[in-house]
Amino acid sequence: MSKTSQKQSTDVETHQETDPVGERARGAAPDEGDLDEAGSQLSTAPVETVVPGSFGGVRAPGAAGWLAWAWRETVGWTRWFWRQLTSMRVALILLFLLSLGAIPGSLIPQTGSDELKVQDFKAAHTTLGPIYEKLGLFNVYSSVWFSAIYILLFVSLIGCIVPRTWQFVGQLRGRPPGAPRRLTRLPAYATWRTEAEPEQVRAAALALLKKRRFRAHTAGDAVAAEKGFLREAGNLVFHIALIVMLIAFATGQLFKSEGGKLILEGDGFSNTLTQYDDFKSGSLFNSDDLAPFSFQLDDFVGTFERTGPNKGTARTFRADVTYSEGADGKEKKTSIEVNKPLEIDGSKVYLIGHGYAPVVTVRDGRGKVVFQQAVPLLPIDANITSTGAIKVLDGYADKNGKKEQLGFNAFFVPTFAGAGHGEMLSQFPELDFPVLALSAYHGSLGVDSGIPQNVYQLDTSKMKEFKDADGELLKKRLLPGETMKLPDGAGSITFEKDVKQWATFQISQQPGDGWALGGAIAAIAGLAGSLFIQRRRVWVRATTGNDGITVVEMAGLGRSESAKLPEELGDLAAVLYDKTPPAPDTGEPTPDPQAVPAEGAEKQ
Amino acid sequence: MTLAAATNENLAEISNVLIYSAMAVYTLAFFAHIAEWIFGSRSKVSRTAAALTDKGTAGRQAPAVTVKSKGGTAVLERPQVVTRSASGTRDVPDGPGAHGGDEKGDLYGRIAVSLTVLAFLVEASGVLTRAWSVQRAPWGNMYEFNITFSTVAVGVYVTLLALKKNVRWLGLPLVTTVLLDLGLAVTVLYTASDQLVPALHSYWLWIHVSTAILCGAVFYVGAVGTLLYLFRDSYENKLANGGQPGRFATSVLERLPAAATLDKFSYRVNAAVFPLWTFTIIAGAIWAGDAWGRYWGWDPKETWSFITWVAYACYLHARATAGWKGRKAAYLALIAFGCWLFNYYGVNIFVSGKHSYAGV
Ligand code: HEM
């Protein structure tokens, strides 16, 4: 019987009498230091420490003294600032600021998502508008102050991660600390007396704990073991994944490109800059980065609810396409739906919108066809009432043989309510009763002036109206197959019995997506590890009691209190108890009234 | 075609009847809970005060040897494990529950729980028939969202009960709010059953929205725990400082679990669901990437999901930081739940964005 172990068992006994709840509640324990030791390095979370601000001390006279002082101060303050920035408290404050800072962007219109609303807002609030503008409240998420918050947060994060990683590596290499003197003070505790020798108990405990994949070793009269390092690893992975995601988003923003293209049924597109209707890109994008592919719109299918309160609501949108990868790849067929973009070579092709393109034929005075095309018109309401312009740029000459350009304002409804039934507004989005209304002009379309022109609008400033018999602007509603004659043998325009559909596509390319997704998955996995895994320590002490019988004590300590800890300790104790034959029951103190059975039925 | 439509309308009708029946059963459960609280109040065990003040005698003995031999039985003998709170926390026993140890109270409590389970089953079938009637996931608009949400919240509670967790104290607040939620759903938010607009057609709907609803339900349960924690904690503080709380407060709070238990409960609940919430947001981003051509556009709904996420991250950090445990962290948890609530109701009602096609 060693001296220390004797002291140990007396300790346990005195402890029984002098540790009322009240004293514990106040935390005024004499050997708290010992417990701190047992719980040390159980995590890598930074400890809140107070660091003084000024580090100056005395300033020696002369320039050298001043320099030394300035150096000390600078280093001191920098270190102070760095410690503050990387402390948990500041991380907390920055996180809070981040969520607070995100709020205005959800309540005030943002230029990024809805430019028009911002204009309206500015017009409606003449005093508030400029103030908001100055504060960057119309583009919160790219404003200086919002960026400052998250950049500081991520600097803090990196400053936090690096030392924590080192610390963690150190912990992985180290061994769990030895048993504290009083195991009874730990959150979970069990003890029994056995006929086995202390060495036997320790050997059995070591084997058991190792089998349960604890990192265990014997230190003095006790076995010390620790498990759950994945918690820390998970936490670090999570925080690192956040950085990876941020970098991926940033790269995506810098290198992304996004363009729109309207395509008629039967027409195609190949992915070069000149083919886009509109195009925007990040500041580091290079047009060589566009993936080489092409596709053709074979058919567009749109169906709509025909009855009920939601009549007219869209039910399906589908674009059937044939595409080929690379400069001259093999042709493949597929369909693109609203939720199903086509992915080709890192680019994504989204279906954005659709509309109708009536086929019209324009003839000159001698009956020669000068224009025959499907003309895409832009929808202006949910029932696809559409407007646009038909522009005959060349090939037309008037009856005197003078070259001229023709222009028509076009108004189209797929389902007409019928003559005399109000305005020319569509009643339903499908082609049930298509009507095309036209008005006619001649002269110069003004397209050569060099100013980019909206293809859907007619600039009539250099054009003259065709007049009807009453001297009014010539206009007419046409059914499919009908023709409007231009006056004085100037020709005619026919609404053919053919209305094509068109679809608009957005083609976007954003590198870094894969990294962002990978980061996100890693973040979730890390988070799960960090939150579901307990890091805990178990000690098993075996000593010889006063009466010569071996006393086994087991205790567990976790980062936070958890019901699992006593459960696990109970399991371990049960196994070990089985391997160490119990000493006969001799006048022991009665079990603690609040003692919990080890079966795991303890209070939650 | 018309036949199918008629069947669907019938199903929608049945669904409505089921939802109303569930409300009726919840109302009964509510009264049974009230009865439990009333009958329970007769017993006046002030265990908390005793534990906090009787320093000398109430302390439990530290065990020396706790093995009992069970002579002759085949049952595995086990040493008992003694647990104790970390130093610095109050060592207060949990309250006995709403029935306060009263047998009649307990009976009413059990009735209340049975009724709640019944109402849950009825409501769940209401949600399922609704889904059947529209041939899709029942989350196309606020009405459907609401009925699903309350079903799942009660489901979480029933599951915890089935797992033998000590959560009966949740019963009354939960049933009360479920009734409010359903009342709101059938009056203000009701939308006739209908198909979805194409933008909502995606299997991501199943993934994203179902996890969102589950997260909301669990966050809600956590928030109830947090709120009760705050009350109970003030109560214990008052007692510990020698104060005398009012009779009503004593009667109610004495029966709840100890502050430390409530605190732990809400932490565990929130922490357990946080990874799922993270996943929900990421799934939403993937869906948005497919549907709208961008993963993240700071749409109000997206923004508020983000705010909620950061707020819960804040709460979890606070728990890990020494100076922020306890009440301060609890306030953060409530703020975070407030964000979730605003995201759910506020954004749909007050702010317009891409998500606002869903009925309201
Ligand atoms: C980018 C913003 C951040 C987010 C969203 C975030 C999120 C989280 C979450 C959700 C947890 C909970 C996991 C757990 O309890 O184990 C956590 C834990 C932790 N975070 Fe962060 N964090 C961020 C930034 C930071 C920063 C800047 C620091 C350092 C100053 C930091 C240090 C820690 C530490 C030490 C833990 C572990 C606490 C413990 O062991 O229980 N985090 N973080």
Side-chain angles (χ1 to χ4, degrees):
Chain A
M1 190 202 301
S2 75
K3 217 174 160 201
T4 42
S5 64
Q6 195 165 15
K7 181 161 184 310
Q8 203 69 46
S9 46
T10 15
D11 260 2
V12 171
E13 266 131 45
T14 37
H15 177 67
Q16 278 173 20
E17 293 144 16
T18 59
D19 186 37
V21 169
E23 189 193 307
R24 255 194 267 148
R26 275 179 272 115
D31 48 3
E32 210 60 37
D34 187 31
L35 275 188
D36 283 352
E37 175 62 27
S40 71
Q41 298 242 304
L42 199 44
S43 111
T44 56
V47 190
E48 298 293 306
T49 44
V50 186
V51 185
S54 179
F55 305 87
V58 278
R59 176 161 59 176
W66 189 87
L67 268 178
W69 175 83
W71 174 247
R72 267 198 323 266
E73 281 293 277
T74 319
V75 171
W77 280 105
T78 313
R79 195 180 291 148
W80 177 85
F81 180 76
W82 183 247
R83 291 234 182 109
Q84 291 295 314
L85 188 63
T86 55
S87 73
M88 283 291 275
R89 194 162 46 95
V90 170
L92 199 63
I93 293 170
L94 286 172
L95 267 172
F96 195 70
L97 283 179
L98 186 69
S99 56
L100 220 57
I103 295 178
S106 74
L107 305 175
I108 298 167
Q110 298 291 297
T111 35
S113 51
D114 202 338
E115 180 80 50
L116 275 178
K117 264 203 194 150
V118 176
Q119 302 299 343
D120 289 352
F121 186 92
K122 282 186 187 159
H125 304 84
T126 43
T127 43
L128 221 50
I131 300 177
Y132 278 15
E133 181 79 65
K134 271 232 166 64
L135 292 176
L137 289 178
F138 293 119
N139 52 356
V140 167
Y141 307 110
S142 49
S143 70
V144 177
W145 55 270
F146 191 77
S147 314
I149 296 175
Y150 74 75
I151 289 172
L152 272 179
L153 182 59
F154 275 88
V155 171
S156 164
L157 186 54
I158 294 170
C160 182
I161 292 269
V162 173
R164 284 185 59 200
T165 311
W166 286 127
Q167 219 181 320
F168 182 56
V169 171
Q171 288 176 14
L172 280 180
R173 289 224 208 91
R175 295 169 136 197
R181 282 192 311 134
R182 290 179 180 176
L183 290 176
T184 43
R185 298 189 58 82
L186 293 174
Y189 175 81
T191 182
W192 67 91
R193 286 143 54 91
T194 170
E195 283 169 347
E197 288 302 310
E199 295 75 40
Q200 274 176 291
V201 176
R202 281 195 290 270
L206 192 66
L208 168 65
L209 288 165
K210 285 207 161 144
K211 204 170 131 214
R212 298 280 178 99
R213 299 209 290 155
F214 274 82
R215 295 156 60 89
H217 68 116
T218 313
D221 58 1
V223 176
E226 182 165 2
K227 192 175 172 178
F229 285 86
L230 265 180
R231 177 205 167 86
E232 224 64 32
N235 192 278
L236 290 171
V237 165
F238 168 71
H239 285 88
I240 292 169
L242 289 181
I243 300 174
V244 170
M245 279 162 77
L246 184 80
I247 294 174
F249 289 141
T251 351
Q253 287 305 314
L254 290 174
F255 289 97
K256 77 169 176 187
S257 70
E258 189 178 291
K261 175 69 178 174
L262 183 148
I263 303 173
L264 279 166
E265 278 173 335
D267 282 0
F269 166 83
S270 70
N271 194 22
T272 53
L273 213 47
T274 49
Q275 289 237 343
Y276 282 97
D277 297 336
D278 58 83
F279 190 81
K280 63 183 181 204
S281 60
S283 43
L284 294 181
F285 172 81
N286 181 330
S287 62
D288 296 340
D289 297 342
L290 283 177
F293 66 85
S294 57
F295 67 91
Q296 175 182 322
L297 176 63
D298 301 326
D299 189 18
F300 179 86
V301 183
T303 62
F304 302 86
E305 187 63 48
R306 289 219 163 254
T307 52
N310 289 302
K311 185 176 166 198
T313 309
R315 290 298 172 228
T316 32
F317 286 142
R318 194 182 76 232
D320 295 330
V321 298
T322 307
Y323 69 99
S324 60
E325 234 167 297
D328 37 24
K330 221 174 75 201
E331 291 206 333
K332 289 175 227 161
K333 282 193 182 299
T334 185
S335 55
I336 305 176
E337 287 173 53
V338 175
N339 272 318
K340 272 194 247 148
L342 168 64
E343 255 193 275
I344 319 177
D345 198 5
S347 293
K348 282 189 170 178
V349 182
Y350 297 92
L351 174 61
I352 296 296
H354 77 117
Y356 293 109
V359 180
V360 295
T361 308
V362 179
R363 294 184 171 81
D364 65 10
R366 280 163 299 162
K368 189 184 114 198
V369 173
V370 294
F371 179 96
Q372 185 165 43
Q373 268 181 33
V375 185
L377 302 176
L378 280 191
I380 55 171
D381 67 15
N383 282 330
I384 324 194
T385 304
S386 314
T387 66
I390 300 165
K391 300 182 184 183
V392 182
L393 292 174
D394 40 34
Y396 176 81
D398 65 9
K399 63 176 187 273
N400 304 323
K402 191 173 145 247
K403 286 207 166 210
E404 219 180 6
Q405 293 179 322
L406 297 180
F408 302 87
N409 267 325
F411 206 85
F412 176 77
V413 292
T415 301
F416 186 48
H421 288 274
E423 292 180 52
M424 180 80 177
L425 283 180
S426 173
Q427 307 300 306
F428 192 71
E430 287 184 47
L431 289 173
D432 290 351
F433 185 0
V435 171
L436 179 67
L438 294 171
S439 53
Y441 299 83
H442 61 109
S444 166
L445 288 164
V447 278
D448 310 323
S449 60
I451 304 164
Q453 230 193 3
N454 186 335
V455 287
Y456 304 104
Q457 264 171 13
L458 205 58
D459 175 7
T460 54
S461 58
K462 288 185 196 142
M463 305 198 87
K464 279 187 285 195
E465 296 177 350
F466 279 110
K467 302 287 186 188
D468 63 11
D470 303 330
E472 297 285 322
L473 169 66
L474 175 74
K475 47 185 179 187
K476 192 168 179 196
R477 285 179 186 167
L478 302 177
L479 295 177
E482 288 185 340
T483 298
M484 174 169 87
K485 281 219 150 31
L486 301 178
D488 308 325
S492 68
I493 178 163
T494 307
F495 174 21
E496 301 293 345
K497 284 186 180 165
D498 185 13
V499 180
K500 285 194 170 165
Q501 301 208 61
W502 52 259
T504 41
F505 295 91
Q506 176 187 309
I507 296 119
S508 43
Q509 194 175 327
Q510 186 168 341
D513 277 4
W515 280 95
L517 188 64
I521 292 168
I524 296 176
L527 199 54
S530 159
L531 288 169
F532 297 145
I533 295 174
Q534 270 273 337
R535 182 140 165 225
R536 66 269 190 199
R537 291 184 178 151
V538 167
W539 291 276
V540 183
R541 170 174 282 137
T543 50
T544 315
N546 288 339
D547 49 6
I549 293 177
T550 305
V551 176
V552 185
E553 286 184 288
M554 285 184 78
L557 177 68
R559 253 300 297 292
S560 54
E561 283 176 59
S562 156
K564 293 234 181 68
L565 186 69
E567 220 169 286
E568 186 179 35
L569 193 76
D571 274 347
L572 290 169
V575 178
L576 198 57
Y577 179 72
D578 265 0
K579 292 192 181 149
T580 53
D585 242 346
T586 48
E588 299 145 9
T590 44
D592 177 69
Q594 293 214 17
V596 198
E599 268 81 18
E602 75 288 332
K603 63 188 163 154
Q604 272 245 84
Chain B
M1 182 69 202
T2 37
L3 200 71
T7 330
N8 290 351
E9 256 165 51
N10 274 342
L11 279 172
E13 210 38 57
I14 292 171
S15 163
N16 288 352
V17 171
L18 283 170
I19 295 293
Y20 276 100
S21 319
M23 283 177 77
V25 184
Y26 278 129
T27 312
L28 292 178
F30 174 79
F31 286 122
H33 271 302
I34 295 283
E36 178 186 20
W37 280 92
I38 287 172
F39 282 102
S41 78
R42 270 195 255 140
S43 81
K44 294 258 185 292
V45 272
S46 286
R47 304 207 285 166
T48 312
L52 284 168
T53 48
D54 291 1
K55 286 174 187 155
T57 52
R60 35 166 139 106
Q61 293 177 333
V65 181
T66 50
V67 175
K68 282 182 288 187
S69 8
K70 288 182 184 156
T73 52
V75 180
L76 186 68
E77 287 178 14
R78 289 184 154 200
Q80 284 184 308
V81 173
V82 183
T83 56
R84 59 187 281 158
S85 314
S87 61
T89 51
R90 281 185 298 255
D91 235 329
V92 173
D94 287 341
H99 53 76
D102 181 283
E103 235 170 74
K104 204 156 176 193
D106 186 43
L107 179 66
Y108 279 112
R110 283 168 192 282
I111 294 176
V113 169
S114 320
L115 285 171
T116 308
V117 172
L118 177 66
F120 165 70
L121 294 176
V122 175
E123 193 186 4
S125 1
V127 171
L128 287 180
T129 33
R130 172 83 181 192
W132 208 345
S133 83
V134 284
Q135 306 276 309
R136 61 171 166 76
W139 313 313
N141 52 52
M142 282 278 275
Y143 168 73
E144 292 170 0
F145 205 82
N146 260 38
I147 57 173
T148 314
F149 175 64
S150 52
T151 312
V152 174
V154 179
V156 169
Y157 166 67
V158 170
T159 310
L160 287 176
L161 278 180
L163 292 175
K164 300 242 165 20
K165 303 279 180 196
N166 164 24
V167 288
R168 242 171 81 180
W169 48 270
L170 261 174
L172 183 60
L174 189 68
V175 168
T176 314
T177 38
V178 163
L179 275 173
L180 288 175
D181 174 82
L182 283 179
L184 205 65
V186 296
T187 52
V188 185
L189 301 173
Y190 186 77
T191 319
S193 79
D194 189 36
Q195 305 296 308
L196 288 180
V197 292
L200 285 178
H201 266 301
S202 165
Y203 59 91
W204 285 108
L205 173 75
W206 285 93
I207 299 169
H208 172 66
V209 188
S210 66
T211 54
I213 291 177
L214 182 61
C215 287
V218 177
F219 280 145
Y220 174 65
V221 167
V224 174
T226 308
L227 200 65
L228 293 180
Y229 156 74
L230 285 172
F231 288 132
R232 171 82 192 199
D233 186 56
S234 315
Y235 172 74
E236 285 177 12
N237 273 339
K238 202 163 183 183
L239 280 178
N241 295 331
Q244 184 56 51
R247 272 192 47 211
F248 179 72
T250 309
S251 167
V252 172
L253 296 171
E254 190 59 42
R255 284 182 265 167
L256 289 180
T261 309
L262 288 170
D263 186 41
K264 241 185 274 172
F265 170 80
S266 37
Y267 168 69
R268 251 178 238 151
V269 159
N270 284 332
V273 82
F274 185 77
L276 190 66
W277 180 240
T278 311
F279 170 79
T280 303
I281 295 178
I282 289 165
I286 294 174
W287 184 16
D290 286 355
W292 300 321
R294 89 280 183 292
Y295 293 99
W296 197 265
W298 296 106
D299 171 80
K301 205 90 189 178
E302 291 167 351
T303 306
W304 278 94
S305 303
F306 173 75
I307 294 170
T308 311
W309 184 76
V310 176
Y312 274 107
C314 233
Y315 164 70
L316 292 179
H317 262 213
R319 293 279 314 206
T321 311
W324 275 79
K325 287 199 167 100
R327 296 186 74 87
K328 277 193 201 165
Y331 291 130
L332 279 177
L334 287 185
I335 292 176
F337 183 69
C339 293
W340 192 89
L341 216 56
F342 183 78
N343 193 19
Y344 173 35
Y345 285 109
V347 171
N348 282 36
I349 295 166
F350 305 121
V351 191
S352 71
K354 282 207 181 236
H355 280 79
S356 50
Y357 41 65
V360 164

